[in-house]
Amino acid sequence: MDRRNFLKIAGLTGLAVSAPFGVRHVLAQPDPYKGPFFVLVNAGGGWDPVYLCDPKNRGPLNRIYDGPATAGNIKYAPIPIDDASLGLEPGGSAYLMSNQQFFEKYGPQLTVLNGIDMSTNNHDGGSRATWSGRLSEGFPSFGAVVAATRAPDSSLAYISSGGYDATEGLIPLTRMSSIDALRRVAYPNQTDPNDPDTELFHSTSTAARIRKAQEERLKAQLAQQRLPRVKAAMSELTLARASDDVLKDLVLPADLIDLPGYQLGDLRNMMQQSQLAVAAFKAGMAVAVNLNLGGFDTHANHDVDQVRQLAKLLAGVDFLMTEAEKAGIAGDLVIMMGSDFARGPGYNADNQYGGKDHWSITSAMLMGRGIGTNRVIGATTDDQLALAIDPGSLAVMDGGTDGGKVLKPETIHLALRKLAGVADGAPAKDYPLAGDDMPALLSG
């Protein structure tokens, strides 16, 4: 491992490994995982599909563009982006990506799901449903299910930078966050953990003897301990102390992406998270990664803030794909983009600073290995109500709901589990879903 590069990236993104209570042993690093790799992109706060992939004509739901544009079979909101309209410093919009740019580039790879009924407008519940398939608490995220099935012995199988990432004890969770103190915990032998060239407290040989003595002492204490919770905590300590060995095969980028100005800080963080995620995938360590971008809870100033955050999100996904292509793993990615719920169905004020409140009918977008291409499934009415689809053909019902089904998170996750090849694994069976079975929903 390039220690200098690891210190640099870990210090900025933060990397902390912890084992949940259900994991009572120290996990060994298994053979490299070869894919597919799953990236779950969370738009935190509730995005607005009307300004993205479920466009409407100008009216009560849309007051900034004239009507839908198309890229292949996909309709999108053709919203221009520029510094002034997004309230950015000069040149800031050059780092973002418009809907037109995104859908023209990635539309041939996309499956768009519109008219998803989340059955809630609560942030926590909506986030759980989007990323686990269940509204109720106590259910693991899809990332945890797929990681626990495909690489159950890996301590880095599931990495998260935010969003719903509950594991329910299925797999350890590696968190990416801005925890500066991490470096002092991870590199206690450096007099200044922020500087990889700093002097050491102990020589390399002395540090090795100290480490060996620590391991022997902890092993002896663990053998004498009978309380399960204490044993779990001691196992976590052993796992943390072994992090250097676990990470030794990571080949990290020499330089982290940087963007100018404070207004792009959240996008910069998302891009740096992508760099670490791609490195973990390339090294065969990670199965699933949560990427997170917040700022979508636009109860006010919706037409500026929502558009800006969507443009950041699309730029972040584009950057992820670019990094994956450089690493030679783009063809092995499966990407899902989603949010807590939607916004609408109209504005909460008539002035230019009006916002949109929570709305339960939303959308999701997926692309990558095994995902159907250039497709839109589901739809909403002009009032942003969900339309039913035929479970077999997936065609939108012309009228009424007789014989049709409205898309639900459970149905999407049933299809996602089958696509990932984990539907018959023990984690999925331990946490079953009761949605409608639509085999062709994602795969086409």
Side-chain angles (χ1 to χ4, degrees), residues 352-368:
Q352 63 177 324
Y353 303 108
K356 288 186 178 182
D357 298 324
H358 301 177
W359 188 246
S360 64
I361 308 302
T362 191
S363 299
M365 301 194 301
L366 298 97
M367 65 181 182

Side-chain angles (χ1 to χ4, degrees), residues 283-299:
M285 296 177 177
V287 176
V289 171
N290 284 18
L291 300 182
N292 184 64
L293 182 74
F296 291 89
D297 198 17
T298 50
H299 291 282

